[in-house]
Amino acid sequence: MDYFTKDYHPPGTPPGTLVEAEEGAETPLSIRLMGYTAAELRERELANVSECRPYLQDSSNTWIHVQGYAEPAILRQLGEMFNLHPLAMEDVLNTGQRPKVESYDEQLFVILSLAVIHDSTIKARQISLFLGEDYIVSFCNGHSDPFEPVRKRLRKNGQRFQSRSIDYLFYILIDLVVDEGFPILESFGEQLEELELELLRCPTQNTLAWIHRIKRELLLLRRIFWPQREVVNRLLREDYSPMTNGIKIYLRDCYDHSIQIMELLETYREMSSSMLDVYLSSVSHHTNEIMRILTIIATIFIPLTFIAGVYGMNFGDNPDSPWAMPELSWYYGYPLIWLVMIAVAVLLLIFFKRRGWF
């Protein structure tokens, strides 16, 4: 996970400047058009931007989706064709923008962040949406198209879509981006369960690295979901000219989903923080267990060492001294000392056991 992922122009660049991006330029570009009326649904893969011009001259609702890296020249063409604001086009080119909503006269511009799992790490992909009177222009960086489920719904249940205004499709796209948070958080829930079991069994340095990775990724998800909830709230509370009042009942449901995602995210963040404390406590407890065993072993050998040290002194060969050690001359002196030492060790073990020290 990168701490800073926003593309930006050098300080001092005039606003609205479209400059070739250094990263993401290798992503192939595809332009897909879907137009529909109450009785007809059309879908085409466009070779260039100019091919969509004939579809804008009829009365159908038109959705143009640009997937991958769009060069500045292509963005300029789309901007001229749909009268898109230069500042908005700059935000489309410089990915990594904070989710937001902007109103330009009779046009609505929304930026969202789509959280995806790529190579077992969380990545944020920018979704840019323009809503006009009868058209939607959407942009998404990356290779895979996140809106393919929406196209399947259009093909299968076209009548429901075709009978509604274009802002209903606009809501569907926003709802898909918001709901993508649920499977992401579900995967984190499974990871946290596995992590909790590992903490209780035998935590290692890899466990600590796992905890820190989850905490960082949950922090990134918070940076995605928190402003995204505010975007949905603004669309719900404020009046924007391209959107009709009838669509707000659906936005309420979308806002409810965003709140559920945030609550679940905060719960997982608290769990990951508490798991760090559990890891430190577990490591400390494991260290204390080792020290206790070593202390018991050392305590048992203290009297044994004392006995061995006493009878290791050379005071047994002096016949003139009444204080010589007669035990050294005993026939069974050696096995007797062993019996004494074993008895002392056993008595100490019994004593430790009754005290509950092991």
Side-chain angles (χ1 to χ4, degrees), residues 177-205:
V177 175
V178 171
D179 286 352
E180 281 293 334
F182 285 112
I184 295 290
L185 291 178
E186 183 179 3
S187 67
F188 274 94
E190 295 173 355
Q191 290 187 61
L192 290 172
E193 289 181 4
E194 297 176 8
L195 189 56
E196 188 175 19
L197 293 176
E198 186 171 326
L199 282 172
L200 296 177
R201 289 196 299 263
C202 184
T204 62
Q205 287 293 327

Side-chain angles (χ1 to χ4, degrees), residues 63-80:
W63 173 28
I64 298 175
H65 178 65
V66 180
Q67 181 66 42
Y69 175 72
E71 298 178 353
I74 296 176
L75 292 178
R76 292 189 188 96
Q77 282 184 285
L78 286 170
E80 293 173 0

Side-chain angles (χ1 to χ4, degrees), residues 7 84 103 105 108 141 148 154 176 191 198 230 235 240 260 267 301 314 321 326 328 334 339 348:
D7 297 332
L84 306 179
S103 179
D105 297 330
L108 188 61
N141 61 325
E148 186 59 30
L154 273 168
L176 182 143
Q191 290 187 61
E198 186 171 326
E230 299 305 315
L235 292 174
Y240 296 102
Q260 294 178 31
T267 300
F301 275 91
N314 298 320
S321 175
L328 296 179
Y334 179 70
L339 289 175
L348 286 174

Side-chain angles (χ1 to χ4, degrees), residues 189-214 274-283 285-286:
E190 295 173 355
Q191 290 187 61
L192 290 172
E193 289 181 4
E194 297 176 8
L195 189 56
E196 188 175 19
L197 293 176
E198 186 171 326
L199 282 172
L200 296 177
R201 289 196 299 263
C202 184
T204 62
Q205 287 293 327
N206 293 333
T207 308
L208 180 61
W210 192 2
I211 294 174
H212 280 293
R213 181 178 61 82
I214 288 180
S274 63
M275 282 182 178
L276 183 59
D277 298 333
V278 171
Y279 171 81
L280 297 176
S281 300
S282 179
V283 170
H285 176 72
H286 184 63

Side-chain angles (χ1 to χ4, degrees), residues 95-115:
T95 57
Q97 301 287 334
R98 187 177 187 272
K100 64 178 181 178
V101 55
E102 297 286 350
S103 179
Y104 298 104
D105 297 330
E106 299 298 318
Q107 191 178 86
L108 188 61
F109 175 53
V110 172
I111 288 181
L112 301 173
S113 291
L114 179 67

